[in-house]
Amino acid sequence: MEGKLSSVAKNFTPSPIQELSQLAQRCNAINLAEGFPDFPAPPCIKEAAVSAINNDFNQYRHVQGICDQLALKMKKTHGLNVNPLTDIAICCGQSEAFAAAIFSIINQGDEVLLFDPCYETYEGCITLAGGIPVYVALEPPQWTLDPEKLMRSFTSRTKAIVLNRSDLCLFVLPLKFTPETFIRGHSPHNPTGKVFSRDELEIIAEGCRRWDCVAITDEVYEYITYDNQKHETIAKLPGMQERTIITSSLSKTFSVTGWRIGWAIAPASAASAIQNIHIRITDSAPAPFQEAALTALRSPNEYFETLRGEYELKRDFCMKLLSSVGFRIQFKPQGSLFLFAELPKDCLLSDVEYVEELIKQAGVVVVPGRGFFHGNESCKYQKRYIRVAFCKSGATLNAAAQKFGELINAKACPKIFY
């Protein structure tokens, strides 16, 4: 059968993050690699899902109430008018919503700009659609955007700009959208936890207007921001409301990454295209979890404030832990569920070697940073970072801290700690 595989299938290999998570399971290691919570989802939404199953909501289904709730949220939070009947497509998670948006726009040979370091899934969607990824590096340690570098990256073949996960993606698109179009952006970035500044958003908006771009946002971390940072929509900038597609999901906000309930909010023409692609690929998002989504989307503001506060404490705990063993954290995450930490200054190991030693010596698994970089491999810093997911229970984080402490006290691993 191997000889029958398509060229696309042959070029797609297992994700390094998935491989490390599988290794963690085999080694019974503490998993700080993969960005999923290991604590329970809110009881009320689990009860809603169970109730839906018991009431036989088990067939193909479109729950219009989700669209109604999302439209209300967009109006209340951002003052944006969204038609729940025409401007929203329910999908199997944000990943499918984003992929469907890419498939609805990118043609063979179109160039797509991505900001490096970059969430890995985006490149796969672009190549599946026949697009060509082109990377624009953000400058460490603050991961700042160089406006001149951005503008020089455009060519006559540029069709899109993607600000990787949980920021926004900008697409050159000749469609004429209806007045209901909008955008949201300024969300935290994976892997760095960066939230783009207003000045950076202005630069991006200028690129959109100059190149007639459409924005697609990934907003799964819109409620997970820290230190009084707030999710801000780029749609409020001049000329931006009419050129946007939003993608998001329940996954991160409600700790249900396996439920696969997401959506795209877009001008009617784009939403229709995304919905048509979704139907041809998966037909329907899981019916019982759509019903549970109604309960989730009606959550009071107190839920989101509590969520933000709890994750901020987890972030601070992990920053203190990693700093205590020599990691250099020059950028404090402003949002998301990740720390992007630089290896100790005197550590001679690469990121991959470090992760391997950490698994062997401490029984803790994190992600080598190089998997998020795609540009100039001669840049030494690309092999000097690891990503740590802190969306874990207090018990898990305390266990990881204990493992680190045992190694330090025993001086068992001089290669790692300095």
Side-chain angles (χ1 to χ4, degrees), residues 147-212:
E148 294 183 1
K149 184 184 293 184
L150 169 62
M151 295 306 174
R152 286 197 305 268
S153 299
F154 286 98
T155 73
S156 60
R157 298 177 64 185
T158 302
K159 189 75 172 288
I161 308 175
V162 175
L163 278 79
N164 46 315
R165 184 167 191 142
S166 299
D167 293 304
L168 52 100
C169 322
L170 313 175
F171 288 81
V172 180
L173 190 64
L175 294 178
K176 297 298 183 181
F177 284 167
T178 63
E180 291 84 1
T181 57
F182 59 90
I183 179 175
R184 296 191 56 200
H186 206 178
S187 275
H189 170 275
N190 177 358
T192 66
K194 173 187 173 66
V195 172
F196 277 80
S197 70
R198 180 62 178 260
D199 288 343
E200 289 171 323
L201 287 181
E202 293 278 6
I203 293 165
I204 294 165
E206 172 59 25
C208 282
R209 293 188 294 263
R210 184 183 303 180
W211 294 89
D212 190 22

Side-chain angles (χ1 to χ4, degrees), residues 160-390:
I161 308 175
V162 175
L163 278 79
N164 46 315
R165 184 167 191 142
S166 299
D167 293 304
L168 52 100
C169 322
L170 313 175
F171 288 81
V172 180
L173 190 64
L175 294 178
K176 297 298 183 181
F177 284 167
T178 63
E180 291 84 1
T181 57
F182 59 90
I183 179 175
R184 296 191 56 200
H186 206 178
S187 275
H189 170 275
N190 177 358
T192 66
K194 173 187 173 66
V195 172
F196 277 80
S197 70
R198 180 62 178 260
D199 288 343
E200 289 171 323
L201 287 181
E202 293 278 6
I203 293 165
I204 294 165
E206 172 59 25
C208 282
R209 293 188 294 263
R210 184 183 303 180
W211 294 89
D212 190 22
C213 295
V214 169
I216 294 184
T217 70
D218 174 349
E219 303 191 9
V220 296
Y221 299 116
E222 62 181 306
Y223 293 107
I224 306 175
T225 57
Y226 311 123
D227 303 321
N228 297 317
Q229 290 276 353
K230 296 294 183 182
H231 176 68
E232 183 179 356
T233 174
I234 199 174
K236 296 180 180 178
L237 298 182
M240 292 305 299
Q241 185 173 351
E242 63 268 24
R243 55 177 78 249
T244 305
I245 300 170
I246 294 170
T247 65
S248 192
S249 76
L250 295 183
S251 294
K252 307 297 184 179
T253 304
F254 296 98
S255 304
V256 288
T257 61
W259 284 18
R260 312 318 298 147
I261 299 296
W263 51 83
I265 306 175
S269 57
S272 176
I274 292 166
Q275 182 73 14
N276 289 338
I277 291 170
H278 157 71
I279 289 172
R280 282 160 177 76
I281 295 174
T282 58
D283 205 308
S284 169
F289 298 141
Q290 285 191 65
E291 295 292 333
L294 289 175
T295 299
L297 292 172
R298 292 169 180 151
S299 297
N301 288 336
E302 290 77 13
Y303 171 80
F304 303 105
E305 290 303 319
T306 299
L307 178 79
R308 182 181 292 111
E310 290 177 349
Y311 272 134
E312 191 166 319
L313 290 174
K314 294 176 189 293
R315 177 204 63 176
D316 293 346
F317 178 91
C318 285
M319 287 184 65
K320 183 177 180 180
L321 170 62
L322 293 175
S323 296
S324 72
V325 296
F327 278 92
R328 293 185 291 173
I329 303 176
Q330 300 182 69
F331 182 79
K332 188 177 184 179
Q334 300 163 323
S336 83
L337 306 173
F338 307 105
L339 277 169
F340 207 49
E342 190 173 359
L343 296 179
K345 184 176 181 180
D346 297 325
C347 179
L348 301 180
L349 301 177
S350 70
D351 56 339
V352 172
E353 293 167 337
Y354 191 97
V355 169
E356 290 174 348
E357 287 294 327
L358 192 62
I359 294 171
K360 295 175 185 175
Q361 300 291 339
V364 177
V365 59
V366 297
V367 179
R370 73 176 62 182
F372 299 98
F373 293 105
H374 306 81
N376 185 0
E377 294 185 3
S378 65
C379 294
K380 294 182 179 180
Y381 69 78
Q382 295 188 8
K383 299 178 182 180
R384 298 291 299 169
Y385 284 88
I386 63 166
R387 192 195 74 172
V388 177
F390 55 81

Side-chain angles (χ1 to χ4, degrees), residues 122-143:
Y122 292 156
E123 180 182 7
C125 293
I126 292 164
T127 55
L128 278 173
I132 301 170
V134 178
Y135 293 94
V136 181
L138 298 174
E139 299 296 331
Q142 299 301 312
W143 309 108

